[in-house]
Amino acid sequence: MADLTGKRILTILQNRGAEQDEVKQPVEQLRDAGAEVTVATPEAGTIQTLVGDWDLGEQFTSDTKLSDLDDSGFDILIIPGGTLNADSLRLNDDAQRIAKSFASSGRPVASLCHGPWLLVETGLVKDKRATSYISVKTDISNAGGLWEDSELVRCPSQGWTLLTSRGPQDLSPFISAITSELSE
């Protein structure tokens, strides 16, 4: 993996319901590559992940609250999935503000599984190519996005890059794409 020293990565999620591996693997691997990864949630403290949207997963600790966050110094935004996580996050005003800020400033956004629901809610998926968990396909299409069934979709249109993957099975290409994006 490339050296990501000096790169700042923001991961946003709810305090409960994110898919465990979609949080754990990117955060650990990107930190191991030298990146500074900040995990932000609506409330300070514990993050309870789930496995398969049902079983309790590992617990992690949030680094900061979404409402306290100034996203301007970050190089990329990661939005993990998990049905409960993504469905709640899409309605969070601070999460919407952060996603829109990244896109409007030309910084990349990476999202997988159900995570693109936030991009649907904010209108950011319109005219973008994307993939996701299959149940999000109709939402992306109805929001004007172009859905495709691929392990990774990179869409650099509209002045900002969107990286999307279908779910935990695609974590390896997803993390590699994030690494490549930050190495350019």
Side-chain angles (χ1 to χ4, degrees):
M1 186 175 281
D3 181 10
L4 298 180
T5 302
K7 299 297 182 180
R8 295 187 68 218
I9 299 170
L10 176 60
T11 300
I12 61 172
L13 58 142
Q14 287 288 341
N15 290 86
R16 181 178 175 84
E19 186 66 30
Q20 173 186 286
D21 288 344
E22 294 176 18
V23 176
K24 181 179 181 174
Q25 287 185 34
V27 168
E28 287 180 354
Q29 289 181 34
L30 295 166
R31 282 180 177 159
D32 287 348
E36 176 188 329
V37 181
T38 299
V39 178
T41 53
E43 302 299 323
T46 302
I47 300 165
Q48 177 62 65
T49 64
L50 298 177
V51 176
D53 281 333
W54 189 259
D55 296 318
L56 292 179
E58 294 180 44
Q59 290 187 344
F60 301 96
T61 302
S62 174
D63 297 312
T64 188
K65 291 173 55 173
L66 290 171
S67 60
D68 294 341
L69 188 68
D70 173 8
D71 66 82
S72 63
F74 291 92
D75 300 300
I76 194 167
L77 172 64
I78 299 176
I79 309 165
T83 308
L84 177 62
N85 172 65
D87 194 44
S88 298
L89 194 64
R90 73 189 290 180
L91 301 177
N92 183 289
D93 291 339
D94 291 311
Q96 290 181 19
R97 170 186 56 81
I98 291 164
K100 288 176 183 177
S101 174
F102 270 80
S104 68
S105 66
R107 292 173 291 157
V109 175
S111 185
L112 72 160
C113 197
H114 292 82
W117 269 339
L118 176 60
L119 306 173
V120 166
E121 196 69 33
T122 58
L124 294 173
V125 78
K126 183 173 176 34
D127 298 325
K128 296 290 269 187
R129 289 178 32 253
T131 193
S132 65
Y133 191 75
I134 188 69
S135 65
V136 182
K137 173 185 178 180
T138 301
D139 296 313
I140 290 173
S141 296
N142 287 343
L146 307 166
W147 191 88
E148 58 187 75
D149 185 13
S150 299
E151 67 181 12
L152 177 79
V153 174
R154 181 182 186 274
C155 182
S157 70
Q158 302 172 352
W160 63 282
T161 299
L162 174 61
L163 303 169
T164 52
S165 286
R166 297 172 297 195
Q169 74 276 16
D170 299 327
L171 277 166
S172 181
F174 182 72
I175 296 167
S176 292
I178 292 169
T179 302
S180 293
E181 198 69 31
L182 292 173
S183 298
E184 289 183 358

